[in-house]
């Protein structure tokens, strides 16, 4: 069968359509001028709020919240999530004579809103409550529990947990990047102490690197950015592939004396800080930075969440890494960045599914 020829005018119109979705980030730059997943959109594209009170005063209803999100995600040119058509003249569909953010694509005729393809999709929760949750979650240095959020927002605890899990999922660093500066490597173990357990729940032989009650977490810090990965153990065959994938060969790496790092000198300039001999710094080389991050992670999980299941531990690690990597941002800038990064929907059944 021979296809019917496309009319010249139609072909000309199709050439004008700029395909922009799906947007796949090539790198992350945490500063006030470049957004993580939309490097062509700056933080001052729309309002940067100085406090949560200013945000609530400036965005008093669903319409103003929608407009703020549209400005950040589209900057005046709505993007169809189905075909990727970006236009400033998509059809605006009115409901009872009022436009409430429902568009119709001029190319594929699909209907869409700014919520589609984000953590807000198919949610009955008003955007204003979502925005409040994101601002609190991103601004509070140690996070906020679902029990506290459900009281603050007047929603159920289950709803608050689902909201926080979606936000936490959007904080994940899914961007491929490579460290090429001095990089600190270290591992830690997350889990309750045996001495704090009741007599019936105590487990014998859990000292040191035992995996009976704790989960190992591996971390790398370079140039003020941290990368964290939950691992099954801290042996060389597990850690080495992660290191080689994230650190450029020939880079200076700094570790403690753990045996898993012994062979790093084949590909890297390896400096060992022998903590077992009471040495914690050798000139400019140390692991104090990554160990400081472990302190933030453990104090936060213990003080706010009290206990974290191994199934969800990676998301909690991503949460603290996100705040650490954006620590030089103002709260309003981090809020806008979080809204732009909230462009991946995750369903409840996926959150509770076993790994």
């Amino acid at each position: 069968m021979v296809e019917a020829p496309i009319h010249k005018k139609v072909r000309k119109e199709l050439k004008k359509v700029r395909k922009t979705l799906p947007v796949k980030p090539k790198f992350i730059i945490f500063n006030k001028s470049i957004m993580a997943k939309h490097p062509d959109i700056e933080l001052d594209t729309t309002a940067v709020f100085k406090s949560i009170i200013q945000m609530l005063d400036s965005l008093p209803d669903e319409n103003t919240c929608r407009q703020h999100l549209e400005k950040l995600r589209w900057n005046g040119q709505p993007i169809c999530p189905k075909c990727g058509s970006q236009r400033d003249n998509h059809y605006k569909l009115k409901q009872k004579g009022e436009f409430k953010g429902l568009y119709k694509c001029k190319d594929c005729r699909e209907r869409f809103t700014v919520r589609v393809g984000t953590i807000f999709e198919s949610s009955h929760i008003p955007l204003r409550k979502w925005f409040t949750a994101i601002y609190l979650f991103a601004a509070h240095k140690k996070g906020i529990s679902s029990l506290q959020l459900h009281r603050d927002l007047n929603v159920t605890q289950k709803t608050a947990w689902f909201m926080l899990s979606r936000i936490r999922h959007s904080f994940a660093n899914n961007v491929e990047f490579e460290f090429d500066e001095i990089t600190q490597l270290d591992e830690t173990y997350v889990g309750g102490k045996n001495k704090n357990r009741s007599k019936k729940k105590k487990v014998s032989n859990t000292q040191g690197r035992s995996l009976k009650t704790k989960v190992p977490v591996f971390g790398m810090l370079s140039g003020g950015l941290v990368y964290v990965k939950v691992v099954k153990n801290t042996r060389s065959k597990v850690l080495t592939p992660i290191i080689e994938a994230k650190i450029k060969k020939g880079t200076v790496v700094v570790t403690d004396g753990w045996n898993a790092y012994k062979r790093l000198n084949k590909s890297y300039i390896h400096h060992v800080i022998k903590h077992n001999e009471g040495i914690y710094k050798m000139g400019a080389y140390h692991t104090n930075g990554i160990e400081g991050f472990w302190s933030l992670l453990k104090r936060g999980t213990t003080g706010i969440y009290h206990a974290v299941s191994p199934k969800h531990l990676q998301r909690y690690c991503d949460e603290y890494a996100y705040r650490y990597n954006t620590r030089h941002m103002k709260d309003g800038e981090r809020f806008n960045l979080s809204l732009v990064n909230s462009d991946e929907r995750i369903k409840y059944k996926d959150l509770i599914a076993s790994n």
Side-chain angles (χ1 to χ4, degrees):
M1 181 182 292
V2 180
E3 284 188 341
I6 300 177
H7 194 276
K8 290 183 179 180
K9 187 177 181 180
V10 175
R11 187 185 290 111
K12 188 176 181 181
E13 287 296 321
L14 288 174
K15 286 183 179 179
K16 293 181 180 179
V17 179
R18 185 154 61 99
K19 304 291 183 178
T20 59
L21 287 185
V23 177
K24 294 296 183 183
K26 295 181 179 179
F27 55 86
I28 273 191
I29 299 180
F30 290 109
N31 59 39
K32 65 169 70 174
S33 62
I34 301 180
M35 306 300 287
K37 296 189 178 180
H38 298 256
D40 58 331
I41 297 179
E42 296 187 354
L43 281 173
D44 58 359
T45 296
T46 187
V48 179
F49 306 110
K50 294 182 179 180
S51 67
I52 190 171
I53 295 297
Q54 186 185 21
M55 187 272 287
L56 293 173
D57 289 342
S58 302
L59 308 176
D61 51 36
E62 185 75 7
N63 188 49
T64 53
C65 290
R66 173 185 60 79
Q67 291 173 355
H68 183 80
L69 186 60
E70 286 182 356
K71 189 70 174 175
L72 277 172
R73 295 196 70 209
W74 297 338
N75 197 20
Q77 292 187 316
I79 305 172
C80 174
K82 185 174 182 179
C83 72
S85 173
Q86 181 172 353
R87 292 172 173 264
D88 57 5
N89 60 345
H90 282 305
Y91 300 110
K92 294 183 177 181
L93 305 182
K94 295 183 178 180
Q95 298 167 298
K96 296 182 180 180
E98 183 182 356
F99 176 65
K100 297 182 179 180
L102 181 61
Y103 295 87
K104 184 177 180 180
C105 179
K106 271 202 169 184
D107 297 289
C108 70
R109 306 295 176 175
E110 186 76 9
R111 296 186 178 192
F112 63 94
T113 69
V114 72
R115 282 178 175 244
V116 176
T118 70
I119 63 174
F120 316 115
E121 183 177 352
S122 301
S123 174
H124 299 291
I125 302 168
L127 282 177
R128 196 163 185 260
K129 286 191 176 183
W130 271 109
F131 283 15
T132 303
I134 292 173
Y135 201 105
L136 290 172
F137 191 66
H140 288 192
K141 302 306 179 186
K142 295 183 180 179
I144 184 172
S145 69
S146 59
L147 285 170
Q148 182 63 52
L149 190 66
H150 105 86
R151 292 191 291 267
D152 291 343
L153 298 185
N154 192 27
V155 297
T156 65
Q157 188 272 334
K158 182 179 179 180
T159 297
W161 181 86
F162 187 31
M163 292 175 71
L164 290 178
S165 297
R166 278 189 169 187
I167 299 169
R168 194 175 285 117
H169 178 75
S170 71
F171 282 7
N173 182 7
N174 298 319
V175 181
E176 294 298 326
F177 64 94
E178 192 176 49
F179 289 137
D180 57 2
E181 300 178 9
I182 298 175
T183 306
Q184 300 176 26
L185 312 180
D186 196 27
E187 71 290 336
T188 191
Y189 291 79
V190 178
K193 293 183 179 180
N194 201 41
K195 66 178 182 180
N196 295 333
R197 293 185 173 89
S198 63
K199 188 175 182 180
K200 294 181 179 180
K201 294 184 179 181
K202 287 186 182 296
V203 181
S204 59
N205 300 322
T206 59
Q207 297 87 352
R209 297 176 180 270
S210 172
L211 302 181
K212 289 184 178 180
T213 59
K214 294 187 178 184
V215 179
V217 182
F218 176 62
M220 296 180 278
L221 186 145
S222 178
L225 296 180
V226 68
Y227 174 81
V228 189
K229 180 77 173 177
V230 176
V231 293
K232 60 181 180 181
N233 60 60
T234 56
R235 295 178 182 175
S236 177
K237 64 180 181 180
V238 174
L239 300 187
T240 301
I242 301 174
I243 296 170
E244 292 179 345
K246 291 296 179 184
I247 306 177
K248 185 178 180 180
K249 289 188 177 181
T251 302
V252 175
V253 295
V254 188
T255 72
D256 57 18
W258 175 232
N259 291 333
Y261 304 128
K262 282 187 175 180
R263 297 181 180 178
L264 291 181
N265 56 10
K266 294 182 179 180
S267 302
Y268 304 97
I269 303 172
H270 186 199
H271 293 272
V272 180
I273 310 299
K274 299 180 180 180
H275 293 167
N276 58 341
E277 297 181 7
I279 301 173
Y280 296 93
K281 187 176 181 180
M282 294 175 59
Y285 305 114
H286 57 81
T287 58
N288 297 339
I290 186 64
E291 288 173 0
F293 173 76
W294 294 142
S295 178
L296 291 173
L297 173 66
K298 291 185 176 181
R299 288 181 182 180
T301 53
T302 302
I304 302 297
Y305 304 118
H306 305 305
V308 178
S309 68
K311 181 170 68 174
H312 298 294
L313 179 58
Q314 182 63 59
R315 292 194 178 99
Y316 285 86
C317 290
D318 290 337
E319 168 193 339
Y320 284 92
Y322 179 86
R323 290 200 199 91
Y324 185 88
N325 290 338
T326 59
R327 64 193 180 280
H328 298 304
M329 278 185 169
K330 297 177 182 177
D331 290 342
E333 294 171 341
R334 190 185 297 108
F335 170 69
N336 283 347
L337 177 64
S338 302
L339 288 180
V340 174
N341 282 345
S342 301
D343 60 352
E344 184 179 351
R345 183 188 178 193
I346 184 170
K347 298 180 180 180
Y348 184 78
K349 64 179 181 180
D350 297 324
L351 280 172
I352 63 174
S354 59
N355 292 339

